[in-house]
Amino acid sequence: MPIRIDKDLPAKKILEKENVFVMDFERALSQDIRPLEIVILNLMPTKQDTELHLLRSLSNTPLQINITFLQTETYRPKHTSKSHMEKFYQFFSEIKHQKFDGMIITGAPLEQIPFEEVKYWDELTEIMEWTKTNVTSTLHICWGAQAGLYYHYGIEKIFLDKKLSGVYKHHTLHGKPCLVRGFDDVFYVPHSRYTASDMDAIRNCKELTVLAESDEAGPYLIKNESGSQIFVTGHPEYDVMTLDYEYKRDIAKGLNIEVPQNYYIDDDPEKGPIKSWRCHANMMYTNWLNYYVYQVTPYEL
């Protein structure tokens, strides 16, 4: 949240140059406050784990948030009970007439399948088109980011030589954008995927800006000019044990998989993981909610 100070206080200009969000009394008096309406399209197979991860990340702000969980109608989940989905989730047809302050489109274990062959691709493209008029800012995560970059900007995905799995060092490229306010020069993010969006195509797209990247994992935070579409190629919301679960699951399937990089103590799965990304993860979600949703969304949806 911003600090409220007199607009003529000398410290105001210094704080603004340091990317500290300050608000003068006049602007503060004109602000109306209401709960934010956030819809989450949960495409992950382990729905309840993803719910917990995202809600933890979204809770680190004093803003009040109403959450609506969304599921696809063209594909029903196999790993979550029907009773859970019926009780806590809605279909797009039930909410398409509404407007939302923000939306999150999660990842999905589908990166090795061509987009058009995904069973719910037509429904997903309808939802992504709908966000242009009915959502103030949409946050796309991992495969959701690849799908969004492909649909909105025609950016293809490319296959990696091996699975990118681990916690990787990142750095910011621009200090001013609000999404990276408060970030250190170096920070860490979990990644878990077999594909990546075409880096050159992203950089050559005039409508997109890369805000942070990794020498190993590539572009990480990408936004369009207005911030109405933001793409996060990693999994900052992951719980400390999520990569461990995925690694052991893949081993049990007999896959030739490497130990997640920079994740376990001494790279030894028996010693357990090191949590090194949560502070910046929480800050990213807080920045998104504050600067790209709360500060710009209309009071009357």
Side-chain angles (χ1 to χ4, degrees), residues 36-42 54-55 58 65-71 88-96 98-106 127 130-131 134-141 288-289 293 301:
L36 295 176
E37 298 292 337
I38 305 294
V39 57
I40 298 175
L41 176 58
N42 189 355
L54 287 173
L55 293 177
L58 295 172
I65 304 171
N66 292 332
I67 299 292
T68 298
F69 284 109
L70 192 63
Q71 64 171 311
F88 299 110
Y89 281 73
Q90 293 182 263
F91 295 117
F92 179 58
S93 59
E94 297 174 305
I95 60 99
K96 64 190 299 183
Q98 301 177 39
K99 291 184 181 293
F100 290 85
D101 300 301
M103 181 173 194
I104 296 175
I105 299 177
T106 74
I127 293 171
W130 168 84
T131 65
N134 286 59
V135 180
T136 299
S137 181
T138 302
L139 193 70
H140 310 70
I141 302 173
W288 173 65
L289 282 173
V293 181
L301 281 173

Side-chain angles (χ1 to χ4, degrees), residues 87-258:
K87 183 173 183 178
F88 299 110
Y89 281 73
Q90 293 182 263
F91 295 117
F92 179 58
S93 59
E94 297 174 305
I95 60 99
K96 64 190 299 183
H97 63 283
Q98 301 177 39
K99 291 184 181 293
F100 290 85
D101 300 301
M103 181 173 194
I104 296 175
I105 299 177
T106 74
L110 301 170
E111 65 247 45
Q112 294 175 296
I113 302 174
F115 291 118
E116 287 82 359
E117 294 182 16
V118 172
K119 291 182 179 179
Y120 51 75
W121 180 249
D122 290 342
E123 182 179 2
L124 179 58
T125 58
E126 182 184 1
I127 293 171
M128 289 192 290
E129 185 65 26
W130 168 84
T131 65
K132 294 179 180 180
T133 55
N134 286 59
V135 180
T136 299
S137 181
T138 302
L139 193 70
H140 310 70
I141 302 173
C142 200
W143 182 84
Q146 294 182 6
L149 288 167
Y150 177 71
Y151 175 74
H152 292 295
Y153 301 102
I155 295 174
E156 299 279 356
K157 63 183 176 182
I158 57 176
F159 284 85
L160 303 175
D161 295 333
K162 58 182 179 179
K163 184 177 184 179
L164 183 77
S165 176
V167 182
Y168 298 92
K169 182 187 295 185
H170 293 63
H171 57 273
T172 56
L173 299 177
H174 304 274
K176 292 297 182 183
C178 299
L179 193 63
V180 295
R181 278 187 176 174
F183 276 36
D184 293 325
D185 292 338
V186 173
F187 61 98
Y188 295 85
V189 181
H191 288 261
S192 179
R193 49 188 165 85
Y194 290 91
T195 59
S197 295
D198 189 322
M199 182 186 306
D200 292 334
I202 293 171
R203 296 195 180 284
N204 290 331
C205 182
K206 295 181 180 179
E207 299 175 65
L208 298 174
T209 301
V210 179
L211 304 181
E213 68 178 8
S214 165
D215 294 339
E216 298 167 289
Y220 166 56
L221 295 178
I222 307 153
K223 65 178 281 294
N224 66 354
E225 186 174 357
S226 67
S228 62
Q229 295 166 5
I230 295 174
F231 307 94
V232 183
T233 64
H235 280 289
E237 78 287 348
Y238 264 11
D239 182 83
V240 67
M241 297 304 296
T242 305
L243 286 177
D244 177 74
Y245 162 77
E246 292 182 350
Y247 171 66
K248 292 176 179 177
R249 176 202 62 195
D250 290 347
I251 290 294
K253 290 181 179 179
L255 299 178
N256 183 19
I257 203 80
E258 294 183 0

